Amino acid sequence: MSTKPAIDTVSSAERTIRVAIADDHPLLLAGLAHELQGRADIRIVGAATNSTALVELLQSQPVDVVISDYAMPGGSYGDGITLFGLLRQQFPDVHLIVLTMLSNADVIRSLLAQKVSCILSKADPLEYLTTALYAALAGKRYLSPGIEAIVHRHAIQGSASGSRTRHLSSRELEVMRLFVSGLTISEIAARLQRSKQTISTQKMSAMRKLGIHRDADLIKYGIEEHLTTQSAEPHAEPKYP
């Protein structure tokens, strides 16, 4: 079970913490806002339902912490590892908390390898969100109980995972995740801003490493490994004061 870290919150009490939230499901955005708005030291400066809106928000005003869904289709900057790598590069001073429904150990491993140290499972209660926020500000690692269980079960940052996906590069894993979630090669290329040839090559490389020869078997394997995510059309942007 995850243990809440002892975090010095004095610095956070001295000023308002500016938070941006991002998820393509309005109900979850509302839940995140409700969880955070009760605290006097936290102000939600904006909400986004895709990567385009999130990047525009970060470009338009100062933000201390971004709380973002892992799988958030519909934007120009992709989602998952691709989006978080971009945020790290363009907004290095912004702290990041990732929300995810994915329970695949290698997705969690990839996030940790990208120095995303605060990860929450959507299956866990939102009560862990505030602790994760202060942990992110303090540069500490915080995993919600569901994520912590995956880390321990698969000995992440220890012995190798038993999953064959451990052999994939982070880019191959992203291409596979999007393909088994129902996107075509062209759609993946557009989302990740790579050529169709590059995406096709990375998909074939992933299949070769996994010992899979047919798309149907790749999709079946992705479902078994909990790599599928549901796509959604962009929604109207919620407004917060």
Side-chain angles (χ1 to χ4, degrees):
M1 181 174 179
S2 177
T3 303
K4 293 186 178 181
I7 299 168
D8 182 6
T9 60
V10 173
S11 60
S12 64
E14 294 174 348
R15 62 180 177 82
T16 300
I17 304 166
R18 298 159 298 191
V19 178
I21 55 178
D23 196 285
D24 61 320
H25 295 91
L27 284 177
L28 184 58
L29 280 179
L32 294 172
H34 178 77
E35 184 69 22
L36 296 174
Q37 284 178 331
R39 300 196 60 94
D41 59 339
I42 296 174
R43 179 168 67 92
I44 298 176
V45 298
T49 57
N50 58 55
S51 61
T52 304
L54 177 58
V55 171
E56 289 176 352
L57 174 60
L58 294 176
Q59 290 172 335
S60 67
Q61 60 184 304
V63 173
D64 299 306
V65 180
V66 167
I67 302 170
S68 176
D69 189 12
Y70 183 99
M72 189 170 56
S76 302
Y77 302 98
D79 59 0
I81 296 296
T82 300
L83 172 61
F84 302 144
L86 174 72
L87 297 183
R88 288 291 191 203
Q89 182 179 31
Q90 293 195 7
F91 310 99
D93 296 328
V94 176
H95 301 281
L96 178 63
I97 298 171
V98 171
L99 306 172
T100 182
M101 278 297 294
L102 295 171
S103 58
N104 178 271
D106 291 299
V107 169
I108 306 304
R109 181 180 287 104
S110 294
L111 286 171
L112 293 172
Q114 293 290 325
K115 301 189 184 305
V116 177
S117 56
C118 294
I119 310 171
L120 304 181
S121 170
K122 288 185 176 182
D124 289 326
L126 285 177
E127 65 189 49
Y128 298 103
L129 184 60
T130 303
T131 303
L133 189 148
Y134 289 126
L137 283 171
K140 305 289 187 180
R141 168 169 152 165
Y142 185 80
L143 308 176
S144 70
I147 302 298
E148 190 74 54
I150 295 171
V151 168
H152 286 301
R153 187 181 311 125
H154 296 274
I156 295 176
Q157 295 184 326
S159 59
S161 164
S163 169
R164 284 181 286 166
T165 54
R166 71 186 185 276
H167 299 299
L168 305 184
S169 69
S170 60
R171 290 194 169 192
E172 290 167 347
L173 187 63
E174 282 292 277
V175 169
M176 178 182 168
R177 173 180 71 87
L178 295 172
F179 183 78
V180 302
S181 297
L183 273 68
T184 65
I185 295 296
S186 296
E187 290 168 336
I188 297 171
R191 179 173 299 184
L192 300 183
Q193 297 184 337
R194 303 175 203 161
S195 70
K196 289 190 290 184
Q197 179 60 44
T198 297
I199 297 301
S200 180
T201 298
Q202 290 170 339
K203 172 178 170 285
M204 289 188 292
S205 176
M207 293 177 71
R208 184 177 66 254
K209 290 179 180 179
L210 295 171
I212 293 174
H213 305 287
R214 300 189 308 163
D215 286 352
D217 293 329
L218 180 64
I219 293 170
K220 179 181 177 181
Y221 180 79
I223 293 172
E224 291 172 347
E225 288 293 317
H226 308 289
L227 277 170
T228 57
T229 55
Q230 292 183 338
S231 297
E233 294 299 321
H235 304 285
E237 299 296 323
K239 302 296 183 181
Y240 295 96

